[in-house]
Amino acid sequence: MKTVIMKTLLYLGLWCWVLGRGTRAMSVEEKTKTRDQILEMFDHAYGSYMKYAYPADELMPLSCRGRVRGQEPNRGDIDDSLGKFSLTLIDTLDTLVVLNKLEEFEEAVRKTVRDVKLDNDVVVSVFETNIRVLGGLLGAHVMADLLRERGERMQWYRDELLHMARDLGHRLLPAFNTTSGLPYPRVNLRYGVLNPLSRTGTESDTCTACAGTMILEFAALSRLSGESVFEEHARKALDVLWEKRQRGSDLVGTVINIHSGDWVRRDSGVGAGIDSYYEYLMKAYILLGDSVYLERFNTHYSAIMKYISQPPLLLSVHMHNPTVSVRSWMDSLLAFFPGLQVLRGDLKPAIETHEMLYQVTKQHKFLPEAFTTEFRVHWGQHPLRPEFAESTYFLYKATGDPYYLKVGQSIVEKLNEHARVPCGFAAVQDVRTGTHEDRMDSFFLAEMFKYLYLLFSEKSHLPFDIDDYIFTTEAHLLPVSLSTTQPSCQGNSTEVHTAPEDDLFTYSCPSAQTLFPNNPSFAKTIRDSYKYLTGVGRPHQVSPVRGIELPLHDNGMEPVEFLKSMGISLTPLNEAAGGAGSGEQQDSTGQKGVYRVKLIAEVSQTPEEEEVVPLVVQVISPPFLGRVVLTAGPAKFGMDLTKQEHGVKGRIVKSAPYSACGPIENAAALRGHIALALRGDCMFAAKARRLQEAGVIGVIFIDHREGSSSEETPLFQMVGDGGSTSDITVPLVFLFSREGATLTAALEEHQNVDVLLLPKERELGQDKAEKAMGVNIQIRLAKEGELQDGEGKSTTIQLVLEPGEEEEEEEEGRRTGGEGGALAGHCTPTVGGDQDPPHPCTDRQTETTNEQPPPPGPSPSDPESDP
């Protein structure tokens, strides 16, 4: 019996070692501690919103107040998610149930029913309102109905949240009133789209994800309310996108015209602009049971894996020519894709891409909003996005690998260390500097805490079976039973263009046993290939050293120190070779008292940062007269100001609309002047084209992010829209909001303001620093008196070395006196032939040239000095 027990323990130990090889399994106590920490963080974030912000849409965690649309500076399209409907509260409702905060949930539902109004004269994003508010109301209704049926809570509830969801659905429907069936990107909650009072309806384009991320919420609303109109419209939009795919590649573009169905931007990837379109095709099959959605997803997925996936990278390509990458950077929204691949059952690329993303977070603390294929920062913002935590959760569910618990722990630690503030959690304005932005988006509470809590929870910790629900893209919970409770919408007969080859997971959810047959360390073997992808954590390796050797006698140390001062490292030969610890210097040939000169050239692994040439906007009209100089960033397209000798001068005029994303209303006033335009709502290139057509001679873009400045945020180069920008010829510069506020304040006060756009190094009134004269010193080893032709006619430093003992005996007969010995180890300045006798180099080094050394100043590599 004792032997059996010992064998059993041994087998269990071996099994645990294999399962967690390289990653120690997390104990129950550790998981409980982390789970409690996540609950405390949620309480801090949600409590801060309710205390300082409710009933406002969002919390401003640095200001400790709520963000109300129209009462804070306009941030452009970011504000389109705000509809004066207590956004954060609605987005958080079902999170309260997942975290077992049932009392708080019931109180929050009461507040929602009592306080939230949807009949607001506000223009909102159809996409954001659908996934955050409609999805939030539906998820909360499902949870409230579940608790009511159990008879413990919510006995007063009479489907009020479902009625609100139906009301909101009808307010979104006018957006679908287009010839194609693709929805407008924005809608007025009170007046719709075409009403003269709506202040919208002029847009012609929408993103693929914006049109293709409606089916889960709209279909759920139809099946819960009995009104099929919602599902019909969402299905129609998906049908159009499917029909408009590029038939040769089976890829879709990023932006499409809602009237004609023509592609406006043809770049194709899995990140921003497309991401949740693919997600909703897969999840629509899971939620609704309609195989057409799965067939379409599988067709797209085959194309993605053929053209876009370059493990571990996911690169955007041209939909018509998918072998060509359109950019060298990736955006953080693609971090959801490994989680979607888990649902598809394609674990290997999911693990590879997730590991790449984890290495990027280790390098930059968070995922930058965009990063290059060399894993450098492209856009430094991090608005506390949850997609990486989402994929981490799904990979842990699929593999059971404790490694992903460690990844989750690192997310928790970094949020607490780098994002937590007294009134909540603040977005990171730039991961390179760690500066904060005064925003805490509602998705932080809706998604981040949900996925983190589930990652460290067992099924027994949850008030319901999580496997009975599907997550929307905003992590709201919809029951998979909807596929059986209501018949599917009629008329979905779109044929699949080319059916992909079926595999094991084409029509089924993946099984962990099938994925990892008797090999629980499968995930680790894949991850190890990408462990040091970004260079972080790599063991130190000795860099290769190149050397040249020169004999130097060890008695005269002045030349040794002189060479050291010039950056030449001197190492005794036995040390350079890792020699024995003998106190006597001896080279490989047995010669004593010999040093070897080694020029050390270490190969640096530091990646070269893309150089951003700083520009300036210099205000030259009275009363400023050039004294106001604002640091500006350049663009990768338009006129190159570095090639304009005198820059571009003009009077500044505000564009109307200020965003320059619609028809220009003040073209006559702008003609011949430099336009001011606010960042946001559309691409820089689109703004530049409209303003150039209006006749401007330059454009100054001003950041819409409140409080940003060039002192706190590194400059970046504005990029185009993925297509050709050769048609844009006017100069374009970018000012952060603080610098932009200085310029707009000057315009409001003085009306006529002239500025000069030019490189920073050529700003007017800048004192030209006198260029320091360099001294080229050549060292040639020669015997005394051996001068080459011409050396006696110019300033020359000679290094005359005393021969060693062996050479001294051989040269004795040729010496004419002892002067050579007296000069050993000294520099001999020789100027013409009529100068004073030579002096020691310690007395005359500075007398060999007329130029004085330049005054001390900041190093060119000093981050505090001007570039």
Side-chain angles (χ1 to χ4, degrees):
M1 182 66 179
K2 195 172 187 179
T3 305
V4 173
I5 293 174
M6 290 299 292
K7 284 184 177 179
T8 303
L9 290 174
L10 178 62
Y11 291 148
L12 283 173
L14 287 171
W15 173 252
C16 291
W17 177 81
V18 171
L19 183 65
R21 188 164 51 132
T23 305
R24 181 181 58 84
M26 189 172 288
S27 67
V28 173
E29 292 74 18
E30 285 180 289
K31 291 177 70 173
T32 300
K33 181 180 177 181
T34 305
R35 190 169 61 251
D36 290 344
Q37 187 178 10
I38 293 166
L39 288 172
E40 185 278 329
M41 292 166 65
F42 173 83
D43 289 341
H44 177 62
Y46 178 67
S48 294
Y49 167 75
M50 296 305 295
K51 179 178 180 180
Y52 301 110
Y54 181 80
D57 283 315
E58 288 182 347
L59 168 68
M60 298 172 66
L62 302 182
S63 303
C64 298
R65 67 174 189 268
R67 184 181 296 280
V68 179
R69 186 88 172 263
Q71 295 183 14
E72 301 293 337
N74 191 319
R75 300 178 298 168
D77 54 356
I78 298 176
D79 284 342
D80 287 345
S81 60
L82 311 181
K84 298 183 178 180
F85 37 35
S86 300
L87 171 65
T88 299
L89 178 66
I90 292 176
D91 218 2
T92 310
L93 288 173
D94 57 0
T95 304
L96 290 165
V97 180
V98 172
L99 272 57
N100 239 322
K101 295 181 176 293
L102 304 184
E103 186 175 336
E104 290 92 332
F105 171 73
E106 185 163 5
E107 178 60 26
V109 172
R110 290 184 186 274
K111 288 181 183 293
T112 302
V113 173
R114 183 187 68 219
D115 299 339
V116 174
K117 301 294 183 289
L118 299 173
D119 185 29
N120 302 322
D121 181 12
V122 180
V123 176
V124 297
S125 162
V126 174
F127 167 77
E128 296 289 357
T129 305
N130 172 64
I131 65 171
R132 299 200 204 189
V133 186
L134 182 58
L137 291 170
L138 291 171
H141 163 70
V142 169
M143 294 292 102
D145 193 47
L146 174 69
L147 295 176
R148 179 180 58 185
E149 286 182 0
R150 290 181 180 176
E152 299 173 1
R153 292 185 178 276
M154 306 297 296
Q155 295 305 297
W156 57 271
Y157 181 67
R158 296 296 180 269
D159 297 341
E160 289 88 348
L161 295 177
L162 179 59
H163 300 325
M164 292 178 68
R166 177 179 170 276
D167 179 16
L168 181 59
H170 281 289
R171 294 179 187 277
L172 296 178
L173 279 180
F176 290 84
N177 188 16
T178 62
T179 53
S180 69
L182 297 171
Y184 282 95
R186 297 176 182 84
V187 67
N188 187 300
L189 289 175
R190 178 177 294 172
Y191 297 113
V193 173
L194 302 180
N195 189 302
L197 299 176
S198 68
R199 304 188 308 283
T200 189
T202 59
E203 304 93 344
S204 59
D205 306 334
T206 193
C207 71
T208 302
C210 300
T213 310
M214 308 292 293
I215 188 65
L216 294 190
E217 293 83 1
F218 268 42
L221 179 57
S222 284
R223 300 188 183 204
L224 290 170
S225 69
E227 296 186 32
S228 63
V229 63
F230 306 108
E231 185 172 351
E232 289 168 358
H233 279 86
R235 180 188 294 269
K236 171 63 174 174
L238 283 178
D239 290 346
V240 174
L241 293 173
W242 172 252
E243 288 297 327
K244 294 297 180 180
R245 77 193 185 282
Q246 211 290 321
R247 301 301 177 101
S249 65
D250 284 321
L251 296 174
V252 293
T254 305
V255 177
I256 192 169
N257 185 289
I258 59 177
H259 303 298
S260 66
D262 295 334
W263 291 106
V264 178
R265 284 184 53 189
R266 295 173 174 82
D267 48 314
S268 184
V270 296
I274 301 181
D275 49 1
S276 49
Y277 163 65
Y278 294 133
E279 177 187 2
Y280 269 39
L281 286 177
M282 164 62 88
K283 291 182 176 179
Y285 166 68
I286 298 172
L287 181 69
L288 308 176
D290 192 331
S291 62
V292 168
Y293 296 122
L294 182 63
E295 290 165 356
R296 293 180 184 178
F297 172 80
N298 284 333
T299 300
H300 284 313
Y301 187 75
S302 295
I304 290 169
M305 299 310 293
K306 182 177 181 179
Y307 300 116
I308 294 171
S309 177
Q310 300 180 32
L313 309 179
L314 292 165
L315 299 179
S316 294
V317 299
H318 196 290
M319 62 183 288
H320 294 291
N321 188 9
T323 59
V324 177
S325 296
V326 298
R327 62 178 68 100
S328 60
W329 50 268
M330 298 166 279
D331 66 77
S332 64
L333 286 172
L334 61 75
F336 90 99
F337 198 68
L340 184 61
Q341 289 179 305
V342 170
L343 289 181
R344 173 62 173 72
D346 203 357
L347 264 290
K348 185 175 185 294
I351 292 167
E352 291 172 330
T353 298
H354 180 275
E355 183 63 20
M356 177 269 291
L357 296 169
Y358 183 42
Q359 296 301 324
V360 174
T361 65
K362 289 166 73 173
Q363 183 175 359
H364 301 296
K365 299 185 181 69
F366 297 103
L367 268 186
E369 197 72 333
F371 52 93
T372 69
T373 52
E374 292 82 28
F375 314 111
R376 301 196 303 266
V377 173
H378 185 70
W379 296 331
Q381 302 97 323
H382 176 72
L384 307 182
R385 292 201 185 278
E387 285 78 13
F388 179 63
E390 173 186 356
S391 287
T392 303
Y393 163 68
F394 279 112
L395 275 168
Y396 179 66
K397 278 205 76 173
T399 66
D401 191 332
Y403 177 85
Y404 296 108
L405 296 179
K406 297 296 185 182
V407 175
Q409 269 189 333
S410 76
I411 298 173
V412 171
E413 291 166 1
K414 286 170 182 173
L415 285 173
N416 264 327
E417 185 176 351
H418 302 291
R420 186 169 183 142
V421 293
C423 294
F425 290 81
V428 179
Q429 191 174 62
D430 195 301
V431 297
R432 291 163 291 195
T433 62
T435 53
H436 287 137
E437 192 174 352
D438 202 3
R439 62 185 284 198
M440 188 181 82
D441 291 84
S442 65
F443 54 67
F444 183 59
L445 287 164
E447 301 183 69
M448 181 69 82
F449 290 108
K450 201 172 286 172
Y451 288 124
L452 289 177
Y453 183 81
L454 288 170
L455 178 62
F456 292 94
S457 298
E458 307 298 333
K459 281 194 172 185
S460 59
H461 299 134
L462 305 177
F464 56 90
D465 188 347
I466 196 70
D467 292 334
D468 291 338
Y469 299 84
I470 187 75
F471 290 103
T472 69
T473 195
E474 190 77 3
H476 293 306
L477 296 163
L478 298 176
V480 294
S481 59
L482 286 179
S483 61
T484 59
T485 55
Q486 294 288 338
S488 62
C489 180
Q490 300 302 312
N492 188 14
S493 57
T494 304
E495 295 295 329
V496 176
H497 177 53
T498 52
E501 213 173 292
D502 287 354
D503 61 26
L504 184 63
F505 305 114
T506 298
Y507 294 99
S508 63
C509 291
S511 159
Q513 179 56 35
T514 306
L515 294 174
F516 305 108
N518 303 317
N519 185 14
S521 63
F522 173 71
K524 181 182 183 301
T525 62
I526 297 172
R527 285 195 307 268
D528 282 352
S529 301
Y530 305 97
K531 191 174 183 180
Y532 303 120
L533 191 66
T534 65
V536 175
R538 187 187 302 275
H540 176 71
Q541 295 178 350
V542 178
S543 300
V545 175
R546 299 175 182 176
I548 62 172
E549 299 176 356
L550 280 173
L552 287 175
H553 198 277
D554 61 339
N555 288 335
M557 290 306 294
E558 290 88 346
V560 173
E561 297 303 322
F562 178 64
L563 291 175
K564 281 186 178 180
S565 71
M566 297 174 62
I568 300 176
S569 176
L570 296 136
T571 309
L573 190 67
N574 63 335
E575 291 183 14
S582 171
E584 189 176 32
Q585 311 305 333
Q586 183 172 347
D587 74 358
S588 58
T589 62
Q591 293 177 318
K592 299 181 180 180
V594 177
Y595 280 83
R596 296 286 174 96
V597 177
K598 299 192 75 67
L599 296 179
I600 308 299
E602 293 197 4
V603 181
S604 172
Q605 302 295 329
T606 304
E608 294 183 3
E609 292 288 345
E610 186 175 20
E611 182 180 6
V612 177
V613 178
L615 307 176
V616 295
V617 176
Q618 190 164 15
V619 186
I620 57 177
S621 56
F624 307 101
L625 302 176
R627 290 187 295 271
V628 174
V629 181
L630 307 171
T631 301
K636 288 190 174 182
F637 56 101
M639 180 188 293
D640 187 352
L641 286 170
T642 63
K643 297 179 180 178
Q644 305 299 313
E645 183 177 358
H646 303 295
V648 173
K649 174 186 174 183
R651 183 158 296 172
I652 58 174
V653 177
K654 264 191 177 183
S655 168
Y658 195 16
S659 67
C661 287
I664 303 301
E665 301 167 4
N666 62 335
L670 287 170
R671 190 168 295 111
H673 300 307
I674 296 174
L676 298 184
L678 189 68
R679 179 186 186 183
D681 288 351
C682 61
M683 303 292 289
F684 287 121
K687 299 171 189 281
R689 287 192 180 96
R690 290 191 183 94
L691 293 169
Q692 181 173 278
E693 290 171 3
V696 303
I697 61 171
V699 183
I700 301 172
F701 295 111
I702 298 177
D703 196 6
H704 61 293
R705 295 177 302 131
E706 184 182 357
S708 64
S709 75
S710 61
E711 295 179 355
E712 299 176 352
T713 306
L715 292 177
F716 65 90
Q717 296 188 80
M718 295 178 284
V719 295
D721 54 8
S724 173
T725 53
S726 59
D727 57 314
I728 301 174
T729 57
V730 296
L732 312 169
V733 303
F734 178 86
L735 292 177
F736 288 105
S737 64
R738 289 185 190 171
E739 288 84 350
T742 301
L743 197 59
T744 54
L747 183 61
E748 291 175 5
E749 184 176 354
H750 300 282
Q751 310 305 319
N752 296 326
V753 176
D754 294 337
V755 300
L756 188 62
L757 311 180
L758 72 170
K760 189 177 183 69
E761 63 183 15
R762 294 209 293 268
E763 67 182 77
L764 296 182
Q766 178 174 286
D767 294 333
K768 302 295 184 183
E770 186 176 345
K771 186 175 180 182
M773 299 292 292
V775 180
N776 185 20
I777 300 178
Q778 293 183 339
I779 295 179
R780 184 177 64 83
L781 297 182
K783 295 183 176 63
E784 181 189 6
E786 288 185 1
L787 296 180
Q788 292 184 350
D789 292 341
E791 286 183 341
K793 299 178 182 179
S794 60
T795 302
T796 304
I797 296 179
Q798 294 182 355
L799 181 63
V800 182
L801 302 175
E802 180 182 6
E805 295 176 1
E806 299 87 344
E807 295 179 355
E808 187 174 354
E809 294 176 359
E810 296 174 4
E811 297 290 332
E812 185 65 34
R814 288 189 290 230
R815 289 197 180 181
T816 58
E819 295 177 353
L823 292 174
H826 292 79
C827 295
T828 306
T830 306
V831 184
D834 56 354
Q835 295 295 319
D836 295 335
H839 294 272
C841 64
T842 52
D843 295 334
R844 291 295 302 266
Q845 273 187 308
T846 59
E847 297 177 24
T848 61
T849 178
N850 293 325
E851 288 79 28
Q852 296 298 318
S859 164
S861 61
D862 187 340
E864 296 299 324
S865 63
D866 290 334

